[in-house]
Amino acid sequence: MRWEELDQQPCSLSRTLAVVGDRWTLLVLRDCFLGVRRFDQFEKRLGVTRHLLADRLKKLVEHGVLVKVPYQQRPLREEYRLTERGLDLHPAIMALVSWGDRHMADERGAPIRHIHKGCGKVMRPVMVCSECAEPVGARDVRVEVGEGWQDAAGVLFTPAAR
């Protein structure tokens, strides 16, 4: 499978990675969730070239993850805001942050604390079942093939047994 063909795969993860699956895009998204909105702010925080940053922002806008909103008319200046589609990436970003806090932090601990506004406590993301609200881990899920999982020839793939 070629990187350029990920969006054509019969796999939701492949299609998602085609949009958000490189390190600069993930860091742009991280900064969006931290309140960064303007091109020069992204550029300064990330230390990335203007061309690369413009490319990543354009892709996120094209896929409806971000929207450009004018904040000044003369000259026209726009900022980038998360759309509902973009906000739906929050659990994925939080899961990656949580993994990094657990496995990549140094002896000082996590660099950022996430505070739940509702209770005021430091929180960590927990995946729960949408039906019964019980916590769900990798060993708690069985995978079955869905109707959308077919290759180009129409052959239904079968997930590997575990």
Side-chain angles (χ1 to χ4, degrees), residues 41 90 94 162:
Q41 293 172 320
H90 189 254
M94 286 297 295
R162 47 176 194 162

Side-chain angles (χ1 to χ4, degrees), residues 69-113:
V69 177
Y71 68 89
Q72 178 180 312
Q73 291 301 321
R74 294 194 179 184
L76 178 63
R77 300 208 188 278
E78 298 171 312
E79 61 186 18
Y80 297 87
R81 294 193 183 179
L82 290 159
T83 62
E84 285 300 314
R85 183 178 279 197
L87 290 169
D88 282 348
L89 286 165
H90 189 254
I93 298 296
M94 286 297 295
L96 289 170
V97 169
S98 181
W99 186 90
D101 288 348
R102 182 171 177 179
H103 299 288
M104 302 303 290
D106 61 22
E107 64 280 348
R108 296 173 292 174
I112 295 176
R113 286 190 303 269

Side-chain angles (χ1 to χ4, degrees), residues 27 62 66 68 71 89 96 109 113 127 130 148:
L27 293 175
E62 287 173 353
L66 299 177
K68 290 167 66 171
Y71 68 89
L89 286 165
L96 289 170
R113 286 190 303 269
M127 182 181 288
S130 61

